[in-house]
Amino acid sequence: MFEKVLIANRGEIALRVARACRELGVQSVAVYSTADAESAVVRFADEAVQIGPPAVGRSYLHIPSIIGAALKTGADALHPGYGFLSEDPYFAEICADEGITFIGPKPDVMEKVGDKATARQLMSAAGLPLLPGTVEPVNTLDEAHDISGEIGYPVIIKAVAGGGGRGMSVVHREEDLANLYQTTRATAQAVFKDSAVYIERYLETSRHTEIQLVCDSEGNGVYFGERDCSVQRRHQKLIEEAPSIHLNDDTRREVGEAAVRGALSVGYTGAGTMEFLLDLDGNLSFMEMNARIQVEHPVSELVTSVDLIQEQIRVAAGEKLSVTQDDVLPLHGHAIECRINAEDPDRDFAPAAGKLDVYVPPGGPWTRVDSHCYPGWTISPFYDSLIAKLIVWAPDRDRAIDRMQRALSEFQISGRGVKTTIPFHQRILDHPQFRSGDVTTDFVEQFMSEEAAAATAAG
Amino acid sequence: MFEKVLIANRGEIALRVARACRELGVQSVAVYSTADAESAVVRFADEAVQIGPPAVGRSYLHIPSIIGAALKTGADALHPGYGFLSEDPYFAEICADEGITFIGPKPDVMEKVGDKATARQLMSAAGLPLLPGTVEPVNTLDEAHDISGEIGYPVIIKAVAGGGGRGMSVVHREEDLANLYQTTRATAQAVFKDSAVYIERYLETSRHTEIQLVCDSEGNGVYFGERDCSVQRRHQKLIEEAPSIHLNDDTRREVGEAAVRGALSVGYTGAGTMEFLLDLDGNLSFMEMNARIQVEHPVSELVTSVDLIQEQIRVAAGEKLSVTQDDVLPLHGHAIECRINAEDPDRDFAPAAGKLDVYVPPGGPWTRVDSHCYPGWTISPFYDSLIAKLIVWAPDRDRAIDRMQRALSEFQISGRGVKTTIPFHQRILDHPQFRSGDVTTDFVEQFMSEEAAAATAAG
Amino acid sequence: MPEPKKSESANQELVRAVWEEARDLIKRLEGSTVQRFSVEAGDTKIEIERGMPAGASMVAAPAAAMAMPAAEDGAAGEPELDGRHPIKAPLVGTYYGAPQPGAPQFVQVGDSVEEGQTLAIVEAMKLMNQVQADRAGKISEILASDGDWVEFEQVLIYLEAAE
Amino acid sequence: MPEPKKSESANQELVRAVWEEARDLIKRLEGSTVQRFSVEAGDTKIEIERGMPAGASMVAAPAAAMAMPAAEDGAAGEPELDGRHPIKAPLVGTYYGAPQPGAPQFVQVGDSVEEGQTLAIVEAMKLMNQVQADRAGKISEILASDGDWVEFEQVLIYLEAAE
């Protein structure tokens, strides 16, 4: 096992990793910008190094400072968390060069799976289902015409280098293809410095379903069931749950095994997620792979009883996975996560950060709060607006919703200028369609227009 | 199910019950003394009634005021929590007379199991193992001599009406019997208004092991495994865990089934606990039954995945137990609870109450905090010194201890004059004997004298 | 939670000056009933909190002396708004202004009453708890009516000083 | 968290008076660098906290102007203890007082330096970052030595005003 792990991140995930280190008996090193000098992880970690000013370009994204901190403290491993440098092959390579174990896949593997087109090729080769479309970039308009014709409209043109909903256009009619093909390439070139695009069938409506997996360096892989993350606003996840009530045990095993096979086929090591779209007929299509731990990992932990961060650190240290596939299946009960953000739902989710004069998290049975906040902490405008991840577990989905409503009802957060998404979460959880579980990725949009309509009607 | 439940208690358990009500969709009514006007449950419950001054005799123990509050608010049921009126058959009877469902056993049953001698008779009849000794009160010194002779010294003389370690004397040599027999009776008469005593073998050292059970009104009973509560100081539990590593599955089933049989044999309904002593040869002996939910119930919840408070409310409402014996066995993983009190371990655990200027509970994976505290709350000298119950779960005992240490290390509590037992818990968890699990009820005493000795040696 | 970093962030002289004024401010509060006081001006907030015996700090204003003792709730005295004196419920129960149904009310607004005179009854579980005047005065207002459920320390009646 | 129950617990006049003094107190702090200030006298505590733009309120004092821009951390100015001016590390790395091993140190205690003059180097991943004087002055103290690991904004050198 490692002696000392440097955590190249901030906020709740930095604290989450530091907690895992403490429980494993591993020393932890926090790095922080001047804006985070009073942060929870700085207080909790065994050591802390100030690496730069608030601007991420000179702190959490500034490789020399982070490597410097690792060398200064003699850390033998580095956990990147999510975001920031977590999926940067170049950074992973530098860690290797400096003799620091990067807790994640090998740089070359990370690069492969990070490239959408390559990932699609590899995973389709490994037997994962894809949407009808190309796995190769589409380089000419004629090609685009032929392919779109074959697939059948609507189709979606996606930048190979894109992500998070950026660099994609939906084409409903053939006559729009030429124009959208050109503009998408142009945008891709401008935004991602890479004009390559591919084309696939566009699903009007579907569910975001993702498989969590962990592979060790001995070629063992285990999938930890799936998460449904269909409650999104502009591709930002708001509520995640595990398991998905739309997968039966057979489908789960099928896609889970395929996902592990795919990951092992490219020599993947560490924790990763395979994203799928689940259409209304129950067909899964592979979208992309995320080569990092994800924000929503706790719901998978609660239904599998496995600490995924500890597992991630173990396998990075060259240890064997501590569990087998049979240990984690069948999934145990139901877990839901709400992401509580410092945003004002009534003002189009505008950031509403500030000092938290009051911060009283919920407690009690099967109620988990992953947060870096405490009374007096200031949610800084320099970084994301996540205040807390509120996660509950219950024997079934209905009781999990009831428990989440209870927990949300006791969460007290206030401060000058601070607004949270708690009321929005409460209204979504109250919605009969959410209760029924029949939620697709366009649910939040519908929900918001329903509310807008009701508001107008009301007055 | 009930419409509205009045919670005749305060502190963490009142909040625990209110949370369960909210999750069940049942309205909750808090009652509070003027000292608790700002308490968490008063804020959280659907209604709150001020019933009296801080002194418990005129508030939480004042039956007319509590009944008055129930009638005022139209509550159809009442949850007594633990302590206060929770085991008062007279109070349970009054509730019945007023048409309020008391969430607990019927008054006559409560009375039976509340009387130690009767309980011992009933449970031995039901096949529960007892220590060698009398089940009948011992009314003359001659009797005492004969019985003690049979049992063999050392023996213990216990007041029938006693409890919590009061009203008992250990007799090591026959020549001490006469004196101790008389004084124990005298004390019992003085303290409990009942001089009846019984005599049984005294175990120099043993483990406190208790079986949690719930019975519904249809004659179904389920045991939820056992708890080891051997880490006690002067009969006050400090750390509890589930399961006990000293029971194997067969013994667990045997004693569990016997406990349920015993409870059903007296028509017991609701949640209850059977206390046993486990000697070093693995023999269990029934001690007494507690006809209430207990402080340490969360550890049983976490290893059985059942919400015992909800179960308690369900069966009181006439519903069937929501789980069968097979659902809760085998026990899942390991759970530990530390009771964090506002006491100064360095000053013989003297109360160290006051205003909590800083209160930041731990969070993260499998970390549960049951507490009524928040920043600015004042631990009042009028009531017990419990600040929080910190409970963790892990797949096995070792990892549960590691997790508890992590959680304790991040718990921040401070205020003028406030001290907590956190450092004491940390030192106990660090002790190799605790880690090994070989802990008996005299462990804390040994531990403290070890520390005292070390301190003297040091300086 | 972090201690103010005086050394770093404070101009020592200024701090000394402010300290002086702060002490004056505190003195003015001595002996007063103010427990907590706060002012905000723009971005600045000033807050004054005065300690009390732990148990009491959460305690509401005390009950007026009653047929039942109220001593042990040890709260601080409470201001008598516009000079009126509150008579409060000694426990949770049902309010009655008369000894029994149909009987005349104990008192009417405008009546002068002696210290110790019975003003009403609060019934809890068939127990009739007399509510007595803890001082002489004139009934200025009766807030409860027969059959009302009342909480502990709920104000039932206001007295004003007799001419 | 609970709002002060003025109506119940405060003597209105007194409050008004205290309020006035409090405002004076606040005015005295305007324009000063005091962010948080507290006094305790016996059981009474008075605390003054002044708001700042969110991001900044947690931010430590800024780095002195450096070869690398430090502007965007937008913190408040910091006091110059006994008039000395700190020169701080522009990033995490290894400190060198000389251009290369064996070469003479850039500066010695007592040297007078010009604004923009190189005083030291902080090396991070083979990158040599010059640490320059952001004002003219005299080297009063050098706190780091060759090979030291330094944090961002760690004070390396103190300047004093040149005669």
Side-chain angles (χ1 to χ4, degrees):
Chain A
M1 181 46 69
F2 302 116
E3 284 290 310
K4 192 185 280 190
V5 171
L6 181 134
I7 304 162
N9 213 302
R10 64 174 303 284
E12 69 86 18
I13 192 61
L15 184 58
R16 171 72 184 90
V17 173
R19 284 168 168 158
C21 290
R22 178 79 40 96
E23 293 177 10
L24 286 168
V26 174
Q27 297 282 303
S28 57
V29 180
V31 295
Y32 62 99
S33 75
T34 50
D36 284 333
E38 299 285 353
S39 69
V41 70
V42 168
R43 297 171 178 206
F44 179 75
D46 297 296
E47 292 174 72
V49 180
Q50 179 164 292
I51 53 167
V56 296
R58 288 200 41 223
S59 52
Y60 299 106
L61 286 176
H62 193 251
I63 295 177
S65 296
I66 290 168
I67 296 293
L71 297 174
K72 170 178 163 57
T73 54
D76 52 350
L78 180 148
H79 195 301
Y82 51 67
F84 291 133
L85 297 165
S86 60
E87 291 179 284
D88 180 341
Y90 168 67
F91 178 60
E93 209 168 321
I94 290 172
C95 290
D97 296 346
E98 299 289 344
I100 302 158
T101 305
F102 178 87
I103 297 174
K106 300 268 158 290
D108 57 321
V109 177
M110 188 188 277
E111 189 147 26
K112 272 190 227 152
V113 303
D115 177 87
K116 277 224 183 64
T118 318
R120 282 161 54 83
Q121 289 168 21
L122 294 166
M123 294 311 148
S124 91
L128 270 70
L130 298 188
L131 280 174
T134 56
V135 293
E136 307 282 350
V138 179
N139 298 319
T140 73
L141 181 54
D142 292 350
E143 238 185 292
H145 268 293
D146 302 346
I147 288 156
S148 305
E150 282 167 37
I151 299 174
Y153 290 86
V155 298
I156 184 164
I157 307 174
K158 289 183 172 178
V160 166
R166 291 153 342 128
M168 43 179 68
S169 340
V170 178
V171 186
H172 291 275
R173 300 165 315 161
E174 182 164 16
E175 50 268 50
D176 304 333
L177 181 65
N179 175 20
L180 288 166
Y181 174 76
Q182 303 302 0
T183 52
T184 311
R185 283 183 72 100
T187 318
Q189 182 58 48
V191 179
F192 309 110
K193 313 271 168 296
D194 174 4
S195 68
V197 300
Y198 61 96
I199 299 181
E200 62 186 15
R201 169 172 300 151
Y202 175 66
L203 292 180
E204 296 288 353
T205 176
S206 65
R207 314 185 197 280
H208 177 119
T209 309
E210 55 187 32
I211 304 286
Q212 173 70 55
L213 53 84
V214 180
C215 302
D216 65 24
S217 49
E218 298 177 23
N220 307 302
V222 169
Y223 60 94
F224 295 81
E226 75 287 356
R227 295 183 288 259
D228 182 309
C229 314
S230 301
V231 180
Q232 321 182 334
R233 179 181 160 277
R234 306 207 184 137
H235 300 279
Q236 299 307 309
K237 296 166 183 169
L238 297 172
I239 300 177
E240 302 100 347
E241 52 188 286
S244 162
I245 60 171
H246 304 290
L247 288 195
N248 59 36
D249 293 350
D250 295 345
T251 325
R252 178 171 300 118
R253 192 178 327 98
E254 225 170 90
V255 65
E257 285 170 358
V260 168
R261 213 168 38 243
L264 293 176
S265 73
V266 296
Y268 193 86
T269 51
T273 299
M274 301 265 191
E275 280 187 24
F276 295 83
L277 289 186
L278 177 63
D279 71 20
L280 299 186
D281 308 324
N283 306 311
L284 286 155
S285 312
F286 171 79
M287 285 291 115
E288 60 181 271
M289 178 166 191
N290 301 314
R292 60 167 195 278
I293 194 70
Q294 287 187 281
V295 176
E296 60 270 28
H297 73 275
V299 291
S300 301
E301 293 184 317
L302 295 186
V303 295
T304 59
S305 303
V306 176
D307 186 318
L308 291 170
I309 304 288
Q310 287 192 20
E311 213 58 32
Q312 205 184 9
I313 296 171
R314 272 205 205 81
V315 299
E319 292 183 19
K320 212 163 160 303
L321 271 158
S322 76
V323 288
T324 66
Q325 194 61 65
D326 297 345
D327 295 331
V328 302
L329 292 183
L331 300 177
H332 175 59
H334 200 91
I336 302 180
E337 168 177 286
C338 286
R339 298 192 194 186
I340 314 298
N341 295 326
E343 296 170 359
D344 185 352
D346 302 337
R347 294 194 20 259
D348 197 31
F349 292 81
K355 182 162 182 245
L356 305 180
D357 300 322
V358 175
Y359 179 78
V360 182
W366 294 283
T367 302
R368 168 177 173 179
V369 180
D370 276 30
S371 173
H372 56 300
C373 294
Y374 59 80
W377 173 246
T378 295
I379 304 289
S380 156
F382 292 108
Y383 311 113
D384 68 54
S385 61
L386 183 64
I387 295 177
K389 293 167 7 184
L390 174 56
I391 310 110
V392 300
W393 179 93
D396 56 55
R397 186 172 185 270
D398 272 325
R399 281 184 278 180
I401 295 172
D402 297 337
R403 179 155 286 153
M404 179 61 84
Q405 285 287 34
R406 183 272 300 170
L408 287 168
S409 74
E410 68 179 86
F411 209 148
Q412 299 174 50
I413 303 172
S414 68
R416 188 178 293 119
V418 176
K419 292 254 184 305
T420 82
T421 48
I422 288 174
F424 190 76
H425 283 107
Q426 290 174 311
R427 296 199 304 274
I428 286 187
L429 266 62
D430 269 336
H431 196 287
Q433 194 174 337
F434 180 84
R435 174 69 71 165
S436 76
D438 178 21
V439 168
T440 49
T441 49
D442 49 4
F443 168 68
V444 171
E445 207 178 312
Q446 294 169 22
F447 170 80
M448 289 176 76
S449 36
E450 269 179 36
E451 283 201 322
T456 331
Chain B
M1 181 46 67
F2 302 117
E3 284 290 310
K4 192 185 279 190
V5 171
L6 180 133
I7 304 161
N9 214 302
R10 65 174 301 284
E12 70 86 17
I13 193 62
L15 184 58
R16 171 71 184 91
V17 173
R19 283 166 169 160
C21 290
R22 178 77 41 92
E23 293 178 11
L24 286 168
V26 174
Q27 298 282 301
S28 58
V29 180
V31 295
Y32 62 98
S33 75
T34 50
D36 284 333
E38 300 284 354
S39 68
V41 70
V42 168
R43 297 171 177 205
F44 179 76
D46 297 297
E47 293 174 73
V49 180
Q50 180 164 294
I51 53 167
V56 295
R58 289 199 39 225
S59 52
Y60 300 107
L61 286 176
H62 193 249
I63 295 177
S65 297
I66 288 168
I67 296 292
L71 297 173
K72 170 178 161 61
T73 53
D76 53 351
L78 180 147
H79 196 301
Y82 50 69
F84 292 132
L85 297 165
S86 60
E87 291 179 284
D88 180 342
Y90 168 67
F91 177 60
E93 209 168 319
I94 291 171
C95 290
D97 297 346
E98 300 288 346
I100 302 158
T101 305
F102 178 87
I103 297 174
K106 299 270 158 291
D108 57 321
V109 177
M110 189 188 280
E111 190 145 25
K112 270 190 231 154
V113 302
D115 176 85
K116 277 225 184 66
T118 319
R120 282 162 54 85
Q121 288 168 20
L122 293 166
M123 294 312 149
S124 94
L128 269 69
L130 299 188
L131 279 175
T134 55
V135 293
E136 308 281 350
V138 179
N139 298 320
T140 72
L141 181 53
D142 291 350
E143 237 186 292
H145 268 293
D146 301 345
I147 289 155
S148 305
E150 282 167 37
I151 300 173
Y153 291 86
V155 299
I156 184 164
I157 308 173
K158 290 183 172 178
V160 166
R166 292 160 332 135
M168 45 179 69
S169 336
V170 178
V171 187
H172 290 275
R173 300 167 313 164
E174 182 163 17
E175 49 268 50
D176 304 332
L177 182 64
N179 175 19
L180 289 166
Y181 175 75
Q182 304 302 359
T183 51
T184 310
R185 284 184 71 103
T187 318
Q189 181 58 46
V191 179
F192 309 109
K193 311 269 168 298
D194 172 5
S195 67
V197 300
Y198 61 95
I199 298 179
E200 63 187 14
R201 169 172 299 152
Y202 176 65
L203 293 179
E204 295 288 353
T205 175
S206 64
R207 314 184 197 282
H208 177 120
T209 308
E210 55 187 33
I211 303 287
Q212 173 70 56
L213 52 85
V214 180
C215 303
D216 64 26
S217 49
E218 298 177 23
N220 307 302
V222 170
Y223 60 94
F224 295 81
E226 75 287 356
R227 295 182 288 259
D228 182 310
C229 313
S230 302
V231 180
Q232 325 183 331
R233 181 183 160 275
R234 304 203 186 143
H235 300 277
Q236 299 306 310
K237 296 167 183 168
L238 296 173
I239 300 177
E240 302 99 346
E241 53 187 286
S244 161
I245 60 172
H246 304 289
L247 288 195
N248 59 39
D249 293 351
D250 295 344
T251 325
R252 179 172 298 115
R253 193 177 328 100
E254 223 169 276
V255 65
E257 285 170 356
V260 168
R261 213 167 38 242
L264 293 177
S265 74
V266 296
Y268 194 87
T269 52
T273 299
M274 300 264 191
E275 280 187 23
F276 295 82
L277 289 186
L278 176 63
D279 71 21
L280 298 186
D281 309 324
N283 306 312
L284 285 155
S285 311
F286 171 78
M287 285 290 116
E288 59 180 272
M289 180 168 191
N290 301 316
R292 59 167 194 278
I293 193 69
Q294 286 186 281
V295 176
E296 59 270 27
H297 73 275
V299 292
S300 300
E301 293 184 318
L302 295 186
V303 295
T304 58
S305 301
V306 177
D307 186 318
L308 291 170
I309 304 288
Q310 286 192 21
E311 214 57 34
Q312 206 183 8
I313 295 171
R314 272 205 204 83
V315 300
E319 292 183 18
K320 214 163 159 305
L321 271 159
S322 77
V323 289
T324 66
Q325 194 61 65
D326 296 346
D327 294 331
V328 302
L329 292 183
L331 300 177
H332 175 59
H334 199 91
I336 302 180
E337 168 177 286
C338 285
R339 298 193 194 186
I340 313 298
N341 295 326
E343 297 170 359
D344 185 351
D346 301 337
R347 295 199 14 262
D348 197 33
F349 292 82
K355 182 161 181 245
L356 305 180
D357 300 322
V358 176
Y359 180 78
V360 183
W366 294 283
T367 302
R368 168 177 173 179
V369 181
D370 276 30
S371 173
H372 56 301
C373 295
Y374 58 80
W377 172 246
T378 295
I379 303 290
S380 156
F382 292 107
Y383 311 114
D384 69 53
S385 61
L386 183 64
I387 295 176
K389 295 172 355 189
L390 174 55
I391 310 107
V392 300
W393 179 93
D396 56 55
R397 185 171 185 270
D398 272 325
R399 281 183 277 179
I401 294 173
D402 296 338
R403 179 156 287 151
M404 180 60 85
Q405 285 286 34
R406 183 273 299 170
L408 287 169
S409 73
E410 68 178 83
F411 208 149
Q412 299 175 50
I413 303 172
S414 68
R416 187 179 295 120
V418 176
K419 293 257 183 305
T420 82
T421 48
I422 288 175
F424 190 76
H425 283 108
Q426 290 173 312
R427 297 200 302 274
I428 285 187
L429 266 62
D430 268 337
H431 196 287
Q433 195 174 337
F434 180 84
R435 173 68 72 164
S436 76
D438 178 20
V439 168
T440 50
T441 49
D442 48 5
F443 169 67
V444 171
E445 208 177 311
Q446 293 169 23
F447 170 80
M448 289 177 75
S449 35
E450 267 179 39
E451 283 201 323
T456 330
Chain C
M1 290 143 73
E3 270 307 295
K5 302 216 188 73
K6 294 202 184 63
S7 58
E8 270 171 66
S9 65
N11 164 325
Q12 300 305 338
E13 253 179 46
L14 177 76
V15 168
R16 224 171 290 105
V18 175
W19 195 295
E20 285 320 312
E21 278 200 38
R23 290 193 182 289
D24 297 346
L25 208 50
I26 290 165
K27 285 205 198 66
R28 300 194 64 135
L29 293 172
E30 284 309 334
S32 79
T33 61
V34 177
Q35 280 181 44
R36 199 152 166 295
F37 168 75
S38 80
V39 202
E40 276 184 52
D43 270 351
T44 306
K45 181 174 183 192
I46 176 166
E47 185 167 317
I48 305 177
E49 184 159 2
R50 300 175 54 243
M52 301 205 81
S57 62
M58 286 294 184
V59 175
M66 299 170 299
M68 293 175 69
E72 71 270 57
D73 72 359
E78 91 159 6
E80 305 193 351
L81 302 160
D82 51 55
R84 301 200 304 170
H85 175 73
I87 302 292
K88 299 177 170 180
L91 78 175
V92 178
T94 316
Y95 173 93
Y96 294 106
Q100 57 267 328
Q105 299 280 307
F106 288 107
V107 289
Q108 309 280 357
V109 171
D111 292 0
S112 291
V113 297
E114 297 309 314
E115 173 166 353
Q117 183 175 336
T118 298
L119 307 181
I121 283 171
V122 173
E123 183 239 313
M125 291 178 63
K126 322 276 173 301
L127 256 156
M128 298 299 169
N129 303 276
Q130 295 191 355
V131 180
Q132 301 175 339
D134 59 326
R135 64 173 63 176
K138 187 145 153 272
I139 305 292
S140 106
E141 188 180 2
I142 301 177
L143 296 87
S145 27
D146 283 2
D148 283 359
W149 272 106
V150 295
E151 278 190 14
F152 174 66
E153 288 189 344
Q154 184 174 323
V155 177
L156 307 175
I157 292 168
Y158 276 114
L159 290 184
E160 60 194 16
E163 292 83 49
Chain D
M1 294 145 71
E3 269 308 295
K5 302 217 187 73
K6 293 202 186 61
S7 57
E8 273 169 64
S9 67
N11 166 325
Q12 299 304 339
E13 253 179 44
L14 178 76
V15 168
R16 224 171 290 107
V18 175
W19 196 297
E20 284 321 313
E21 278 200 40
R23 290 194 184 288
D24 297 346
L25 209 50
I26 291 164
K27 284 203 201 66
R28 300 194 66 135
L29 291 172
E30 285 309 336
S32 78
T33 61
V34 177
Q35 280 183 44
R36 195 150 167 297
F37 169 75
S38 80
V39 202
E40 278 183 49
D43 269 353
T44 307
K45 182 175 181 189
I46 175 167
E47 187 167 316
I48 305 177
E49 186 159 1
R50 300 176 53 244
M52 302 203 83
S57 61
M58 286 295 183
V59 175
M66 301 170 295
M68 294 175 68
E72 71 271 58
D73 71 1
E78 95 159 7
E80 305 194 351
L81 302 161
D82 51 56
R84 302 199 303 172
H85 175 72
I87 302 294
K88 300 178 170 180
L91 78 175
V92 178
T94 317
Y95 174 93
Y96 294 107
Q100 59 267 329
Q105 298 280 310
F106 288 108
V107 290
Q108 310 280 358
V109 172
D111 292 1
S112 292
V113 298
E114 297 309 314
E115 174 166 354
Q117 182 175 336
T118 299
L119 308 180
I121 284 172
V122 173
E123 182 240 316
M125 291 177 64
K126 322 276 173 298
L127 256 155
M128 298 297 168
N129 302 277
Q130 294 192 353
V131 180
Q132 301 175 338
D134 58 326
R135 63 172 62 174
K138 185 143 154 275
I139 305 293
S140 106
E141 188 180 2
I142 302 178
L143 295 84
S145 26
D146 284 3
D148 283 359
W149 273 105
V150 295
E151 279 190 14
F152 174 66
E153 286 188 344
Q154 184 174 324
V155 176
L156 307 175
I157 292 169
Y158 276 114
L159 289 183
E160 60 193 17
E163 291 83 46

